[in-house]
Amino acid sequence: MKHIISNISFMVRQSWNADHSFIFVSFFIYALRMLSPLSMVIGLKMIFDSLAESKDFSQIIIVVILYCSLNIVKGVADAWYNNRYMPVVNVKISEYLDVRLMKKTTALDLNSFDDAEFFNKYMRAKNEITSRAVGVVTTICDTVGCAISISALSAIIVATEPILLFFIAGGVAVSFAVDTIRSKLYYKYDMETTKVNRRIDYIRRIFYEPQYLTELRLFDIKNLGIKKYGIYADELKKMLKRQGKVKSALASLIVFIEQGIFTGFSLLFLGWRVWKGSLGIGDFSAMFSAIFSFGGELYAFVSKFPELYRHSLFIDNLRDVMTECGDIEYGGNIELDLNKPHSIEFKDVSFSYKNGVRVLDKIN
């Protein structure tokens, strides 16, 4: 847990350094989004109560206007956030992190990139760097927003039918356990496909980057490249089919637990209470909406922790790259007299990769 918090804090600092406003604006937008389910629950109750009690229709009009106004404000804020604000922020964060990674890349020894394990980490870090920085902040904001919404919806449910909290929470707890398993599997699957994707990307680059085109024509290796591409593509398809079966099964299991068992039971219980005459139609409509909203918000809340765990796993790659140290020691700059001839002499020079096998052994 301490390691996850450390990784999340590290990535939040990167987002803060890239753009100070991003965290505050995101918190505001996500808090505004959480008002929507709450307003629906309260609004439906007020409308149905007014209809059942034959109150003045003007009260219904006021409730509808307030509800629609809130959703319009939320919709306009979302549109601005998604279409005007976030595209620019994504570029800012990407620029900041990419520059840091570029500087680190040029400071590393070339033998680091000859190490397949390190290079896989580097590719994952490069591909995930921006999405994880943005994802960590939005996940935290979403978690806080869900907590606010859950607190408000809990108060409504407790005031009407407190027993329903236990059934909904039970379903979410089981779903959370399944989702935690799913998070670990998804990361494992991503690690499996990284190697194959890297090979496919390498073959693609051979065919469109100018520095490879001469060799491609000179040695007529296009057929070999296309053949290799097909082999790796077939391998990737087999992986995705195998992974898809497990992913689909886990996702279906979560839906069955939530909707088929706990939500269904809760609705049957509410229907029985109305049939017995102990629950009014306004309370039923409010609870009907609250059950779905509360279950969704609670599941969204607890699922953020596996999501943060997933973020942390990918952040490990970036931090490993950023903390990688070169093995070569540099002696500093040498000032040469340009009026005199100079030579470079190698004495007993050896070189090996991390496996320890020397490819150069005492070269003079």
Side-chain angles (χ1 to χ4, degrees):
M1 188 64 182
K2 186 178 179 181
H3 179 68
I4 294 174
I5 293 173
S6 173
N7 278 349
I8 298 303
S9 300
F10 166 80
M11 197 52 92
V12 169
R13 288 195 302 272
Q14 307 312 306
S15 296
W16 173 260
N17 292 335
D19 190 310
H20 290 353
S21 70
F22 173 49
I23 296 174
F24 295 112
V25 171
S26 296
F27 266 115
F28 174 76
I29 293 295
Y30 277 82
L32 191 61
R33 288 175 181 175
M34 291 305 110
L35 293 176
S36 183
L38 182 61
S39 65
M40 180 184 294
V41 172
I42 297 174
L44 284 174
K45 175 176 169 52
M46 293 176 68
I47 290 172
F48 279 103
D49 281 342
S50 297
L51 291 172
E53 298 170 12
S54 300
K55 291 184 177 179
D56 189 352
F57 193 72
S58 61
Q59 294 185 15
I60 298 176
I61 295 175
I62 293 171
V63 172
V64 171
I65 290 174
L66 290 174
Y67 175 74
C68 291
S69 298
L70 178 62
N71 280 280
I72 288 171
V73 170
K74 182 184 76 69
V76 171
D78 274 343
W80 171 81
Y81 181 77
N82 293 324
N83 297 296
R84 291 190 61 182
Y85 182 75
M86 280 308 298
V88 178
V89 169
N90 274 319
V91 174
K92 286 183 179 179
I93 294 174
S94 179
E95 178 187 10
Y96 175 78
L97 292 172
D98 282 343
V99 168
R100 285 200 64 190
L101 193 60
M102 289 175 189
K103 289 180 178 179
K104 183 64 180 181
T105 300
T106 56
L108 289 175
D109 301 332
L110 291 178
N111 66 329
S112 293
F113 295 93
D114 289 325
D115 178 11
E117 182 180 350
F118 172 80
F119 193 66
N120 283 335
K121 286 183 179 181
Y122 174 81
M123 291 298 293
R124 286 192 289 267
K126 180 179 73 68
N127 294 333
E128 296 273 345
I129 195 168
T130 303
S131 62
R132 294 299 162 184
V134 172
V136 164
V137 172
T138 54
T139 299
I140 293 172
C141 293
D142 210 6
T143 303
V144 174
C146 286
I148 296 171
S149 184
I150 288 167
S151 300
L153 290 170
S154 296
I156 295 173
I157 294 173
V158 168
T160 310
E161 293 293 346
I163 192 172
L164 290 176
L165 279 178
F166 296 100
F167 294 115
I168 300 170
V172 171
V174 177
S175 298
F176 174 74
V178 177
D179 202 39
T180 302
I181 296 171
R182 183 168 63 172
S183 294
K184 294 179 180 179
L185 282 174
Y186 278 23
Y187 180 76
K188 178 186 174 184
Y189 291 158
D190 189 83
M191 298 303 102
E192 288 179 355
T193 55
T194 295
K195 184 177 180 180
V196 181
N197 278 321
R198 181 164 59 84
R199 288 174 170 173
I200 289 174
D201 184 61
Y202 173 72
I203 294 174
R204 283 185 184 138
R205 285 188 286 116
I206 288 176
F207 279 86
Y208 70 74
E209 290 193 1
Q211 64 265 34
Y212 299 118
L213 293 179
T214 303
E215 286 79 6
L216 191 65
R217 287 163 172 73
L218 183 62
F219 298 106
D220 193 23
I221 57 173
K222 64 178 184 297
N223 291 332
L224 176 62
I226 293 171
K227 181 180 178 182
K228 287 284 187 182
Y229 182 90
I231 292 172
Y232 296 139
D234 288 341
E235 186 179 348
L236 181 61
K237 284 183 281 188
K238 289 178 182 177
M239 282 185 179
L240 294 175
K241 285 180 181 178
R242 174 173 50 81
Q243 295 171 5
K245 291 179 181 178
V246 180
K247 289 179 178 180
S248 177
L250 288 173
S252 300
L253 179 59
I254 290 174
V255 172
F256 174 75
I257 292 169
E258 287 182 345
Q259 303 299 325
I261 300 178
F262 292 96
T263 301
F265 181 85
S266 299
L267 292 176
L268 285 174
F269 176 77
L270 281 177
W272 176 76
R273 293 276 284 149
V274 173
W275 182 69
K276 294 285 288 185
S278 54
L279 194 69
I281 192 66
D283 289 329
F284 174 82
S285 64
M287 294 304 297
F288 184 87
S289 178
I291 285 172
F292 284 98
S293 297
F294 181 82
E297 295 299 325
L298 185 58
Y299 177 71
F301 177 77
V302 296
S303 68
K304 297 306 169 188
F305 297 98
E307 197 171 308
L308 288 172
Y309 173 72
R310 280 198 299 272
H311 286 317
S312 178
L313 292 173
F314 284 98
I315 293 167
D316 277 334
N317 296 317
L318 176 61
R319 298 190 78 173
D320 286 346
V321 170
M322 298 305 293
T323 55
E324 176 80 1
C325 296
D327 298 324
I328 298 174
E329 296 182 6
Y330 295 92
N333 295 326
I334 300 175
E335 293 186 6
L336 300 176
D337 185 350
L338 300 182
N339 297 317
K340 297 180 180 179
H342 301 280
S343 63
I344 298 175
E345 184 178 358
F346 291 86
K347 287 185 178 181
D348 291 334
V349 175
S350 300
F351 175 78
S352 67
Y353 294 100
K354 290 187 177 181
N355 59 13
V357 178
R358 291 188 175 186
V359 277
L360 296 179
D361 189 13
K362 294 183 179 181
I363 300 298
N364 295 303

